[in-house]
Amino acid sequence: MQNLWKLVSSPRHLLVFEAAARTGSFTRAARELNVQQPAVSAAIKQLETSLGVQLFVRAHRAVTLTHAGERLYNDVFAAFERIHQTARMLSTQGAQAHVTLSASTAFAHYWMVPRLADFHRAHPGIDLRLQTSEREPDIDAEGISLGIRRGTGTWPGCDSHLIAPEIISPIAAPRVMASAVNLKTVANLPHENLIHLEEPVRERPGWADYFSYWKVPYSEPKTGLRLNDYALVLQAAIAGEGFAFGWHHVTDHLLRQGLLTRRDAWAWETGAGFYLVWSATTPLTPQAEKTRDWLISLAGRA
């Protein structure tokens, strides 16, 4: 490092050089660095003198890199980018020691909560915090570690891994399912009491989509129980209010408890899925990486 100091005379000169090379202008570099243009020009001149090469070809309104300047810029840019990534990761670690998992209320309550004890046994030192939201959050802008999203696995600026394919079957409380004596085929289901999910923001399929898949004529009723949160839908189904959409990955736990039953033979695989997502540009903290890997291992076992 001492030899580098002798070569460039000051590390600050490399910062000025990177800004000037990237913007193609001493003036724009000065504006970005909040200094005067002559200070940029002087720093570049000192760097060229120290290295013994010309780094820029000066024009009236712009500057371009020489061959030597391009070689230096490529290495300086790569080094600064690595430093930036590490500094950002360390800054995130210091500001956010906990790990946030953003998901719908239903996913958090019925999928994640039953698995929390296993997670804490595997990772007792990680402070995992469930964050529920009525909309899909902006992971980078809101500083969220991990999220659960419905889709096909592709979102700008995000990496993802499939947690569960989207499979939907009709569900109901055991007594409601048993009392539906005329429920011989899917075509009879529209005559039962149906609980409707009407999410205001998230895109979710509804009964009309389900019956369309099964080619069953269906007209959306003007009456019936309509709820704007899937956790409420499940509570209504458990209470015996009628038949509801049963996303398999969310309701499996409730079926094992005997709170709900479902018609597996009438399952609809939509082609979508529920994905674990994280930022493709902001490095995860070590705690968030362990949490991500643990969740992915669950999906692999499933």
Side-chain angles (χ1 to χ4, degrees):
M1 191 58 65
Q2 190 175 24
N3 291 334
L4 175 62
W5 189 288
K6 291 178 180 178
L7 277 172
V8 301
S9 69
S10 171
R12 176 180 172 276
H13 293 164
L14 292 177
L15 291 169
V16 175
F17 167 76
E18 190 277 336
R22 177 167 39 79
T23 60
S25 166
F26 288 179
T27 300
R28 285 193 291 271
R31 190 179 304 122
E32 180 179 298
L33 297 172
N34 196 29
V35 298
Q36 297 297 315
Q37 191 271 350
V40 171
S41 182
I44 298 298
K45 186 62 178 176
Q46 290 176 32
L47 181 60
E48 289 177 322
T49 300
S50 298
L51 295 175
V53 295
Q54 185 178 350
L55 299 173
F56 290 96
V57 176
R58 279 81 165 168
H60 178 58
R61 294 184 177 275
V63 293
T64 57
L65 289 167
T66 63
H67 179 66
E70 287 179 356
R71 289 185 59 187
L72 180 62
Y73 176 69
N74 289 336
D75 287 341
V76 167
F77 177 81
F80 281 0
E81 185 65 18
R82 287 194 297 272
I83 294 170
H84 178 229
Q85 293 285 349
T86 301
R88 186 166 56 178
M89 182 184 70
L90 294 174
S91 174
T92 302
Q93 282 183 262
Q96 182 177 314
H98 60 273
V99 178
T100 53
L101 175 62
S102 175
S104 67
T105 304
F107 186 95
H109 186 75
Y110 293 109
W111 194 93
M112 192 63 214
V113 168
R115 294 168 169 83
L116 280 179
D118 290 340
F119 174 79
H120 289 308
R121 277 193 293 269
H123 300 292
I126 295 180
D127 180 10
L128 176 61
R129 303 183 185 182
L130 301 182
Q131 178 178 308
T132 61
S133 175
E134 295 180 353
R135 57 178 177 79
E136 304 292 9
D138 186 323
I139 288 179
D140 275 320
E142 298 178 38
I144 294 168
S145 311
L146 304 164
I148 300 294
R149 287 183 179 174
R150 174 187 179 271
T152 57
T154 303
W155 292 274
C158 290
D159 290 328
S160 68
H161 190 281
L162 180 67
I163 293 296
E166 184 175 49
I167 307 174
I168 302 168
S169 296
I171 56 171
R175 68 180 185 277
V176 172
M177 189 73 77
S179 65
V181 294
N182 295 321
L183 198 59
K184 307 297 183 184
T185 67
V186 179
N188 298 122
L189 186 56
H191 303 297
E192 302 293 333
N193 291 328
L194 302 181
I195 304 170
H196 299 268
L197 173 64
E198 294 184 341
E199 289 233 22
V201 178
R202 283 192 179 92
E203 183 180 347
R204 296 287 186 267
W207 282 115
D209 303 295
Y210 177 82
F211 289 122
S212 175
Y213 170 78
W214 285 103
K215 296 180 173 55
V216 172
Y218 175 75
S219 297
E220 195 74 32
K222 296 181 180 180
T223 59
L225 185 57
R226 299 175 182 275
L227 301 167
N228 67 355
D229 189 287
Y230 189 55
L232 297 177
V233 169
L234 293 178
Q235 286 300 311
I238 292 170
E241 292 295 332
F243 284 79
F245 254 31
W247 274 274
H248 283 209
H249 68 289
V250 174
T251 57
D252 280 343
H253 182 67
L254 299 174
L255 267 70
R256 288 192 292 270
Q257 291 180 303
L259 297 173
L260 292 170
T261 57
R262 73 184 176 211
R263 291 293 183 96
D264 284 322
W266 298 350
W268 171 32
E269 296 188 35
T270 68
F274 290 84
Y275 288 80
L276 178 68
V277 299
W278 60 94
S279 174
T281 57
T282 302
L284 291 174
T285 64
Q287 295 93 335
E289 283 187 350
K290 291 177 181 178
T291 305
R292 177 199 62 190
D293 295 344
W294 184 84
L295 290 167
I296 289 174
S297 73
L298 285 186
R301 290 198 295 272

